[in-house]
Amino acid sequence: MIEQVKPFSLKRAALAATVGNMLEFYDFITYSFFAIQIGHTFFPTGSEYGSLMLSLATFGAGFVTRPIGGIVLGIYSDRIGRRPAMLLSFALMGLSILTIALTPSYRSIGLAAPVIVIAARMAQGFALGGEVGPTTAYLMEIAPPQHRALVVAWQPASQEIAATTAGALVGVILSKTMGPEMLDAYGWRVAFLIGAVCLPFGFWMRRTLPETIPQAEAGARTVEHTGHLSQARRHLGVIGLALMILASGTISTYVTQYMTTYAQNTLHLSSTLAFAVSLVSNGIQFVGALVGGWLADRLGRKPVMIWPQLATLLLTYPTFLWIVHASGALSLLVGFGVLSVIGSLPFTAFYATFTEALPQNIRGGVFATVYAVAIASFGGTAQLVVTWLLHVTGNPLAPAWYLLLAAIVGLVAMSLMPETAPVKQHQNKT
């Protein structure tokens, strides 16, 4: 049996478990913000477009190795334990960030520079692929049954903390205080190194975490783990539904991140307003994730998944119509704010549902693999699809079409997911 984590320790354990997630999204925002400068440093093609495309392709290389990391580190967490897997993924992640920040430029060491950076991005993708599954499983396993969804909510909420308060703000502050030459020379490296400051602290916190898989049980699983795949096959229905829901949520997340570019390039609004939209959207999603977890513990998982998802489906197109035809601060901030808060509610409940629906001995590996496949397949292509739709149709409402399709897929899958909330199961027994 797993020892119950004390309330104070629970908060500390939740922070330690999600610190890797924070670092992931900090890196995501930082790389996106400084993609031009990184391109100049490592991919000087003589063409601004070519340099930027090579920089973005290197960023995308990390998506390729995510499913591999999900499988390897996820299964490792089921066999050996959550803490060793989280330590390994965090160490790989930190080493990759430091490598990118400290690699000399193309002018200094030639072709070795882009090769090193691409390798670091692929190693980082591997680490990130194995980060979410073990940490989400860990959060569920340390939480009291009546608070599982709220504790698990810190997984998606931590993404918004990093994206809003850290990555975006650091990028804006550096771009405002440094000129273009300084940003090209070392400004972007400063942003990465700021993120790396948390590495010793995060590694120390994870080393002191209590293990949720007793070592005796972990050792037994090492012997009998040849049945890992066969056990996962028994849950193919839930796994398939989870992949659909994660695809829906991933598309929504990455299209939302694209709204800064959309506001400037399509609606021709100021960059300051575009940044404000991103800041408000991420901040509201942080609140929505925690509220979704709180509600899911009290009302059950399925109501919190289905009704907000249905509201998102009904509101998406009218909101985009308003934003396009009355473009300005009010429509952007209110429109995307409403969609962000409603759209963030169901996915916290889903995280809890999926982890609860899987047995402990395959939970980390299955969650990590499904999550990584969804991110690699749909996260890596979402912004390309939206850009292509805008280009071929010339219609500023094109992002709404893609979001509607994703919302429909997610709603259907959510309606078919089993109810796993302890409060509902208790009611059904009585």
Side-chain angles (χ1 to χ4, degrees):
M1 293 293 292
I2 299 169
E3 291 185 10
Q4 186 63 57
V5 180
K6 296 178 182 179
F8 174 78
S9 300
L10 178 61
K11 296 177 183 179
R12 184 174 177 279
L15 175 60
T18 55
V19 68
N21 213 32
M22 296 181 192
L23 191 62
E24 170 192 358
F25 269 72
Y26 177 86
D27 170 68
F28 170 79
I29 293 295
T30 300
Y31 196 110
S32 298
F33 204 99
F34 293 107
I36 294 174
Q37 289 76 22
I38 292 171
H40 292 167
T41 303
F42 300 116
F43 309 100
T45 64
S47 161
E48 282 289 329
Y49 174 76
S51 177
L52 177 59
M53 288 301 290
L54 286 172
S55 177
L56 293 175
T58 300
F59 176 68
F63 286 97
V64 176
T65 52
R66 282 198 179 198
I68 303 172
I71 295 170
V72 174
L73 294 179
I75 293 177
Y76 181 75
S77 78
D78 291 330
R79 288 186 175 183
I80 307 301
R82 309 297 183 215
R83 182 174 59 195
M86 290 191 291
L87 282 170
L88 179 56
S89 67
F90 193 73
L92 286 172
M93 204 183 311
L95 180 62
S96 300
I97 289 177
L98 286 173
T99 299
I100 294 172
L102 300 177
T103 298
S105 67
Y106 183 91
R107 292 181 181 176
S108 299
I109 61 173
L111 190 60
V115 170
I116 292 172
V117 170
I118 292 171
R121 281 298 303 172
M122 296 184 76
Q124 190 174 37
F126 178 89
L128 296 178
E131 171 71 17
V132 174
T135 56
T136 305
Y138 184 82
L139 289 170
M140 198 278 285
E141 290 162 359
I142 64 172
Q146 69 273 23
H147 297 306
R148 280 179 186 162
L150 182 58
V151 174
V152 169
W154 282 99
Q155 180 72 291
S158 66
Q159 299 173 2
E160 307 307 333
I161 292 173
T164 304
T165 63
L169 289 179
V170 167
V172 169
I173 291 171
L174 289 177
S175 65
K176 293 292 185 183
T177 56
M178 293 184 175
E181 292 184 359
M182 293 173 68
L183 284 176
D184 265 6
Y186 62 86
W188 68 269
R189 296 182 189 270
V190 172
F192 275 86
L193 291 173
I194 289 174
V197 168
C198 76
L199 290 174
F201 173 71
F203 196 78
W204 170 77
M205 288 195 72
R206 286 195 167 185
R207 281 193 63 188
T208 59
L209 285 175
E211 179 57 69
T212 59
I213 298 180
Q215 290 304 306
E217 291 184 18
R221 285 194 185 95
T222 304
V223 175
E224 61 179 352
H225 224 331
T226 53
H228 197 282
L229 182 59
S230 64
Q231 291 182 60
R233 285 174 180 164
R234 300 172 193 168
H235 302 274
L236 280 180
V238 169
I239 291 171
L241 294 174
L243 183 59
M244 293 169 64
I245 295 170
L246 281 169
S248 173
T250 297
I251 289 170
S252 176
T253 297
Y254 280 80
V255 171
T256 300
Q257 294 292 341
Y258 182 78
M259 287 303 103
T260 302
T261 303
Y262 176 79
Q264 295 177 79
N265 292 351
T266 303
L267 302 180
H268 306 294
L269 299 172
S270 70
S271 58
T272 302
L273 178 56
F275 170 71
V277 171
S278 177
L279 196 63
V280 169
S281 175
N282 286 330
I284 288 177
Q285 285 177 356
F286 165 71
V287 176
L290 296 179
V291 171
W294 182 79
L295 290 173
D297 282 326
R298 282 151 182 78
L299 305 178
R301 314 300 188 224
K302 292 193 72 168
V304 181
M305 285 193 290
I306 292 172
W307 293 111
Q309 186 73 359
L310 179 60
T312 300
L313 180 62
L314 296 176
L315 289 174
T316 294
Y317 197 73
T319 299
F320 268 83
L321 276 175
W322 181 36
I323 289 169
V324 169
H325 293 293
S327 60
L330 179 64
S331 61
L332 272 173
L333 294 174
V334 175
F336 282 126
V338 170
L339 288 182
S340 295
V341 71
I342 295 175
S344 62
L345 293 174
F347 292 98
T348 298
F350 159 73
Y351 272 45
T353 300
F354 191 32
T355 51
E356 287 171 330
L358 297 170
Q360 188 186 49
N361 59 342
I362 63 169
R363 185 178 291 145
V366 170
F367 194 104
T369 302
V370 174
Y371 184 89
V373 168
I375 291 287
S377 302
F378 300 96
T381 59
Q383 297 188 5
L384 291 174
V385 170
V386 170
T387 303
W388 176 78
L389 285 172
L390 287 168
H391 176 72
V392 297
T393 65
N395 192 326
L397 294 172
W401 305 340
Y402 197 38
L403 286 174
L404 285 173
L405 177 61
I408 291 171
V409 171
L411 180 61
V412 171
M414 287 173 183
S415 66
L416 297 175
M417 285 290 283
E419 177 59 79
T420 61
V423 62
K424 286 291 185 179
Q425 292 177 347
H426 177 73
Q427 290 173 359
N428 291 339
K429 289 179 181 178
T430 57

